[in-house]
Amino acid sequence: MLKTETPARVSSVHFARFAWAVLAYNLPVILWGAFVRASGSGAGCGNHWPLCGGQLSPTFETLAKVIEFLHRATSGFDGILVVAMVVWAFRAFPSGHPARLGATLSLVFVLTEGALGASLVLLEHVAKDQSAARASWDAGHLINTLTLLACIALTAWWGSGKPAVRLHSRAVGVAAASLLAVMLLGVTGVIAALADTLFPASSLSAGLAQDFDPAANLFLRLRGLHPILAAGVGAWLFVFAAGSLRAMATRRMALAVIALVSAQLIAGLLNTLLLAPVGLQMLHLLLADLVWIALVLLCASMLAEP
């Protein structure tokens, strides 16, 4: 006798696919935002927000304006997708289901993501701005972006039938420390990326001279911190993931973390040796986002309720 799936089960399956698609959509949105920074197009729409150049339907006189407008448009559509995900989560799952919480938090952080992006434009911390305030705002933006990715990933994870986490588990401290370490690494990556964009070097030796010049901009003097921290955090993630290989519930995500961290370290080395070409910066950022998502899901697997 053939089994028939209930409407609720079918709805949850479709919801999970939609949530994974929303997560996938966020990756090119984030990459395009990085391209806005790397191409110096952050002021393409002037200091106007949400209008571009003060117009609802702008005319595109410059390439920078096209690049910035596309980022705003794709970010706005992302907000619509997240709202749809929240509505669907409340229709597909009962009260208390973790997918509802994940979707609600995703909406909170997509709204703060937009607010931070708007603040960068309105405060003119874009284009060639070299102020320390820009680094602070960009770092906050990065932390919010990673949190948003984590919330959407967990929404899709829990919507796929995975169990909720136990915050009283003994592994909570180690998982939290691992996530915070990667987030801190991301913040140093923001500073290094700003240094590469604002103060491009003509050669590797010239770049090293910039980094050790006591009169250099703060971004340059802090740039060397990123590869050092990357080596340490990468080594820890190898150890952390290797310890999860023995359990069937965590093996797949542990292998994903190990593979992605390996690829990320190679990309980071090439990024340094080749003086951070824009294409390699985009690949480096994509791998960083994938490492983060895999680590979040590995931690969720470790802390899952039995």
Side-chain angles (χ1 to χ4, degrees):
M1 189 172 179
L2 294 175
K3 291 183 178 180
T4 57
E5 293 188 295
T6 64
R9 172 60 182 165
V10 172
S11 179
S12 64
V13 170
H14 289 166
F15 169 84
R17 291 173 181 169
F18 177 74
W20 288 119
V22 173
L23 178 64
Y25 176 79
N26 270 264
L27 295 176
V29 172
I30 293 168
L31 292 179
W32 194 257
F35 182 68
V36 170
R37 184 263 312 154
S39 62
S41 304
C45 289
N47 61 344
H48 301 276
W49 195 93
L51 302 178
C52 184
Q55 299 174 313
L56 183 61
S57 298
T59 54
F60 300 110
E61 303 89 355
T62 64
L63 181 59
K65 196 171 187 179
V66 175
I67 293 171
E68 169 64 5
F69 180 79
L70 284 176
H71 180 54
R72 294 190 187 188
T74 53
S75 299
F77 185 63
D78 185 35
I80 295 172
L81 291 177
V82 172
V83 169
M85 187 173 70
V86 173
V87 173
W88 196 344
F90 275 78
R91 291 178 63 88
F93 300 102
S95 177
H97 195 283
R100 283 188 170 195
L101 174 62
T104 302
L105 290 175
S106 298
L107 178 59
V108 170
F109 286 103
V110 84
L111 292 175
T112 53
E113 185 85 343
L116 286 166
S119 298
L120 285 169
V121 171
L122 296 174
L123 296 174
E124 299 184 352
H125 294 320
V126 291
K128 298 300 182 182
D129 178 36
Q130 302 175 12
S131 66
R134 179 181 184 179
S136 300
W137 280 94
D138 278 357
H141 201 354
L142 182 278
I143 291 170
N144 191 89
T145 299
L146 292 179
T147 308
L148 172 62
L149 285 177
C151 291
I152 299 174
L154 288 172
T155 302
W157 184 253
W158 291 327
S160 301
K162 304 297 184 180
V165 299
R166 293 180 299 161
L167 295 182
H168 58 274
S169 168
R170 288 179 297 176
V172 167
V174 178
S178 301
L179 293 168
L180 288 174
V182 173
M183 194 170 277
L184 175 61
L185 177 61
V187 170
T188 63
V190 166
I191 296 172
L194 282 173
D196 292 336
T197 299
L198 296 173
F199 309 99
S202 57
S203 66
L204 183 59
S205 60
L208 290 172
Q210 287 178 322
D211 293 348
F212 290 99
D213 183 355
N217 182 277
L218 179 64
F219 298 160
L220 288 169
R221 286 182 281 128
L222 292 176
R223 178 168 59 182
L225 180 63
H226 181 62
I228 296 172
L229 189 60
V233 173
W236 164 247
L237 291 180
F238 282 133
V239 174
F240 178 67
S244 303
L245 289 174
R246 289 171 291 181
M248 287 298 296
T250 56
R251 181 177 300 169
R252 184 176 64 172
M253 296 315 304
L255 287 172
V257 169
I258 291 171
L260 289 167
V261 170
S262 300
Q264 176 70 321
L265 291 173
I266 294 171
L269 179 61
L270 291 174
N271 196 51
T272 300
L273 295 176
L274 299 177
L275 304 178
V278 173
L280 197 49
Q281 287 187 51
M282 299 298 101
L283 176 61
H284 194 37
L285 176 59
L286 174 61
L287 289 170
D289 290 338
L290 293 176
V291 167
W292 171 255
I293 293 169
L295 180 62
V296 167
L297 298 182
L298 173 59
C299 292
S301 301
M302 290 175 56
L303 304 176
E305 293 178 349

